[in-house]
């Protein structure tokens, strides 16, 4: 799939694993991975295959790798192959910029949920349709809600452009229940006006009808009117919008409602 919107910044990491491998005498190995996968690998001007790719029997010393992928910018890097070792190359590619005058399209990936027989799957508040295979989603963070009978779980998942993401659910009975299972995330803007909260990095601050609350994405702690508390589900960002546990939002709503009387 050719994606036109620049969505991720190039990052190439070259690591030599200091563990002996079964390579020819005087030779080394290279393992190349890319996000998205399926990139064509050229080494020293020669076609080698597509990622993920393991190359063995390489001469020790400096080599040059170029990675190409339809819809993504080509990337090149120099690597040093060490005799008897595996050098790992991991690259995050950058999508091509949109053509002049073209409307940018949001990059997409897919989600597959395994072990979901009999479960209700909700992503960002939208109920998915079984069998939950290769569901198209925009690249970025999403909120996954799973309900199987009385068991409920909420988690954050990340979808990468042009990449299939698979989530495997725990067997039924292995999921925590009670307060943690019953809580889920909801959009802060649905409960508090945008003008009454601020976002600075991962920190979310609310000043609303006598409520002063501070929490952070990924953290289970918060401070409400100077009193610390603990959350069963950590706040998160979905498409740049803050999502907070529903129990906390209901608490804010009840306190502001009382203050209004």
């Amino acid at each position: 799939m050719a994606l036109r919107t620049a969505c991720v910044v190039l990052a190439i990491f070259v690591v030599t694993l200091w563990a002996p491998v079964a390579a020819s005498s005087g030779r080394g190995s290279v393992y190349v991975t890319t996000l998205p996968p399926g990139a064509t690998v050229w080494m020293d001007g020669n076609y080698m295959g597509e990622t993920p790719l393991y190359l063995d029997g390489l001469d020790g010393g400096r080599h040059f790798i170029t990675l190409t992928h339809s819809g993504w910018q080509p990337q090149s890097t120099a690597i040093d192959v060490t005799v008897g070792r595996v050098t790992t190359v991991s690259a995050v590619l950058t999508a091509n910029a949109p053509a002049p005058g073209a409307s940018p399209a949001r990059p997409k990936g897919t989600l597959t949920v395994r072990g979901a027989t009999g479960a209700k799957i909700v992503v960002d508040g939208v109920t998915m349709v079984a069998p939950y295979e290769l569901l198209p989603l925009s690249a970025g963070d999403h909120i996954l809600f799973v309900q199987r009978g009385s068991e409920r779980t909420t988690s954050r998942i990340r979808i990468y452009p042009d990449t299939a993401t698979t989530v495997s659910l725990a067997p039924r009975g292995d999921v925590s229940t009670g307060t943690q299972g019953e809580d889920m995330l909801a959009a802060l803007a649905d409960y508090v006006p945008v003008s009454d909260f601020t976002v600075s990095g991962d920190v979310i601050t609310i000043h609303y009808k006598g409520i002063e609350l501070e929490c952070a994405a990924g953290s289970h702690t918060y401070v409400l009117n100077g009193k610390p508390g603990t959350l069963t589900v950590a706040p998160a960002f979905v498409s740049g919008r803050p999502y907070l546990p529903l129990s906390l939002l209901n608490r804010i709503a009840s306190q502001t409602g009382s203050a209004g009387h």
Side-chain angles (χ1 to χ4, degrees):
M1 179 189 303
L3 300 180
R4 291 180 172 273
T5 304
C7 51
V8 284
V9 178
L10 165 69
I12 295 183
F13 305 95
V14 180
V15 179
T16 299
L17 304 182
W18 295 100
V21 296
S24 304
S25 176
R27 304 296 178 93
S29 306
V30 173
Y31 183 60
V32 186
T33 61
T34 59
L35 183 64
T40 300
V41 180
W42 300 82
M43 177 176 285
D44 301 330
N46 298 311
Y47 171 78
M48 308 302 290
E50 294 186 351
T51 59
L53 181 65
Y54 177 76
L55 301 172
D56 196 9
L58 301 174
D59 292 332
R62 178 64 56 94
H63 295 267
F64 294 90
I65 286 182
T66 297
L67 305 170
T68 61
H69 195 301
S70 177
W72 303 79
Q73 297 179 18
Q75 308 294 346
S76 299
T77 186
I79 62 171
D80 291 315
V81 175
T82 303
V83 174
R85 312 290 177 181
V86 177
T87 298
T88 299
V89 178
S90 299
V92 179
L93 304 181
T94 301
N96 290 335
S103 58
R106 295 188 64 187
K108 291 184 176 293
T110 60
L111 170 67
T112 295
V113 183
R114 303 292 188 193
T117 302
K120 177 182 179 182
I121 304 296
V122 180
V123 178
D124 299 339
V126 178
T127 301
M128 300 290 104
V129 178
Y132 313 124
E133 297 280 345
L134 299 176
L135 304 171
L137 293 174
S138 298
D141 289 340
H142 298 268
I143 301 300
L144 174 66
F145 173 72
V146 180
Q147 180 176 357
R148 288 184 289 192
S150 61
E151 299 173 349
R152 301 179 183 181
T153 58
T154 304
S155 58
R156 180 174 59 179
I157 58 173
R158 176 161 292 181
I159 301 297
Y160 291 95
D162 201 24
T163 301
T165 298
T166 300
V167 174
S168 297
L169 302 182
R172 188 166 183 173
D174 291 352
V175 181
S176 300
T177 58
T179 303
Q180 181 171 0
E182 294 172 358
D183 209 352
M184 64 181 296
L185 295 174
L188 174 58
D190 292 342
Y191 290 79
V192 176
V194 175
S195 59
D196 292 321
F197 68 82
T198 59
V199 175
S200 178
D202 290 334
V203 179
I204 303 163
T205 305
I206 300 172
H207 296 281
Y208 178 56
K209 292 185 178 180
I211 292 289
E212 293 188 3
L213 184 143
E214 185 175 291
C215 58
S219 173
H220 289 269
T221 61
Y222 69 96
V223 177
L224 175 61
N225 290 343
K227 297 181 179 180
T230 303
L231 302 169
T232 55
V233 179
F237 288 100
V238 178
S239 299
R241 300 177 62 199
Y243 276 61
L244 270 61
L246 191 57
S247 60
L248 183 59
L249 292 172
N250 286 332
R251 183 176 177 185
I252 292 172
S254 64
Q255 290 198 24
T256 55
S258 300
H261 291 299

